[in-house]
Each structure stands twice: as C-alpha cells, then as structure tokens.
Amino acid sequence: MYRADDADPPAIVCLVGATELRYHMRAIDDLHALLKAHDWMPLGGADEQKPAADGTVEAWGRSAKNPVKGWYGLKKGLRGRFGVYMPPLLEALGLAEVTHDAKNNRMRAI
C-alpha cells in the first residue's frame, strides 16, 4: 500500500498481485474516528458484488451514512474489500488493534 497524494481525489493505493485497488485517502481518519465511537467492530470483508454484513467495517465503507456518503473504494468493480485491506493499514499506523483469528476478526481504535 502507498499514498497517491497527487491523485484526484488523493488515494491509498493497494496492490494485490496485478490488481490495483484505490480508496479515498480520508478513509484512514474517517475509519479511526468511527472506531473511537465503538468498541470492537467486526471486519466483514466482501467483494463489491457481494452484500456486506450489517454492523461491519465493510458495510460502513460502502454506506450512504459514512462521511463520503457511499463507497470509499474508487475503482468501480474493485470498490469492495474495505474490511480486508484498511484494518491492517490502521494497525500498521498504530491507530487500531486488529484480532488475528482464523475468522470473524474485529478491530478497535487505539
């Protein structure tokens, strides 16, 4: 993952093999603010074409009720997986704690 500050809008770029996913840069601060208002929150990663489980980071990342009023993902067809790629980034930045169980992982703000 890396920052693309010169992109329009500024983006976080996530390279997964040959696939490039892009998320709004503000997702870091917005997700951290959301987590501060919650205790542990389930991740719930899902592709764009699949529904996200209610109450998960993934569902919030595509909700009309989040600060960007929709998808944080910027590339149509690849806008999902917010709950897969953003939590480890926030963990690496020291903003969140993420469980690392076999499934049903959760996160919370630090």
Side-chain angles (χ1 to χ4, degrees):
M1 294 184 102
Y2 65 92
R3 296 171 58 111
D5 293 311
D6 57 341
D8 185 22
I12 300 161
V13 180
C14 178
L15 298 173
V16 183
T19 304
E20 180 184 283
L21 298 97
R22 289 179 174 247
Y23 300 99
H24 282 277
M25 180 73 70
R26 67 178 289 174
I28 295 169
D29 294 331
D30 291 350
L31 180 55
H32 188 241
L34 170 77
L35 294 171
K36 284 182 174 181
H38 287 82
D39 192 23
W40 288 97
M41 190 168 188
L43 305 185
D47 289 332
E48 178 178 350
Q49 299 78 15
K50 296 180 181 175
D54 289 338
T56 63
V57 170
E58 182 70 36
W60 177 83
R62 50 174 81 184
S63 171
K65 296 179 182 176
N66 68 32
V68 296
K69 307 216 180 326
W71 296 89
Y72 274 91
L74 296 170
K75 293 180 80 172
K76 187 152 176 68
L78 297 171
R79 296 182 298 185
R81 312 292 288 177
F82 186 83
V84 172
Y85 298 117
M86 293 307 297
L89 175 60
L90 268 68
E91 183 179 43
L93 293 172
L95 299 172
E97 180 180 2
V98 180
T99 61
H100 296 278
D101 300 319
K103 56 183 173 176
N104 299 322
N105 286 293
R106 305 170 299 148
M107 70 186 300
R108 69 177 174 185
I110 293 180

